[in-house]
Amino acid sequence: MTEELPEPAVTVVREFFAALEIDAVDEALELLDPEIVWKNTSLPTIRGKDRVAMVLRGLDRPALGFWAEMHHIAADGDIVLTDRTDYLRFGPVRIGFWVTGTFEIRAGRIVLWDDHFSKGNVLRGTIVGVAKALTRR
């Protein structure tokens, strides 16, 4: 049986998340189109690689962290859908919340990053994260 290689669009998204997880922001930025549009549920849309870079570099601090647990990833041509749990770390507090993302890839670069999540799920993740941080002390 021949193992199928991942679609190029899926590979771009996987490499993007892998770079973010190891704080390789410059490598992650190389996978973004200069005209990228980054949308997050109920947050302002960020347009352009320079603005996205400001946000991602702002998270690149010792007290902060990001990683994602990818549950499902699928592509239809240059559109990639993700179902994942994102984790944010603020000092000792770790917040986990469910996210679905849509990525559009053009010429090997991400032109659209559109994440959807529930505010209630983020609030629950925050409460659980704070409670765990307090009980670890």
Side-chain angles (χ1 to χ4, degrees):
M1 185 194 293
T2 306
E3 183 178 323
E4 263 186 65
L5 296 174
E7 294 186 46
V10 168
T11 300
V12 170
V13 173
R14 284 190 186 279
E15 288 177 358
F16 177 70
F17 278 96
L20 291 177
E21 289 179 11
I22 62 169
D23 296 325
V25 175
D26 288 336
E27 286 83 350
L29 293 172
E30 286 300 314
L31 297 169
L32 302 182
D33 185 85
E35 302 301 318
I36 184 169
V37 175
W38 180 15
K39 298 178 179 183
N40 275 295
T41 301
S42 75
L43 297 174
T45 298
I46 302 172
R47 298 178 187 278
K49 186 175 177 177
D50 291 340
R51 288 187 174 158
V52 171
M54 287 182 354
V55 174
L56 295 180
R57 285 199 173 104
L59 298 173
D60 190 17
R61 300 174 193 195
L64 303 177
F66 168 83
W67 68 99
E69 180 182 350
M70 197 70 65
H71 304 295
H72 301 97
I73 186 165
D76 185 3
D78 289 335
I79 304 296
V80 178
L81 304 176
T82 63
D83 177 29
R84 61 187 202 268
T85 301
D86 282 4
Y87 295 92
L88 299 173
R89 182 180 54 79
F90 301 93
V93 178
R94 292 180 172 92
I95 301 168
F97 54 97
W98 166 82
V99 179
T100 59
T102 301
F103 296 82
E104 184 177 338
I105 312 300
R106 245 186 251 138
R109 302 260 188 276
I110 299 169
V111 297
L112 173 67
W113 174 10
D114 188 2
D115 279 345
H116 300 272
F117 52 87
S118 157
K119 290 181 195 176
N121 195 262
V122 173
L123 177 60
R124 179 187 176 282
T126 302
I127 292 168
V128 169
V130 169
K132 285 183 177 180
L134 291 173
T135 59
R136 280 192 292 255
R137 292 182 175 199

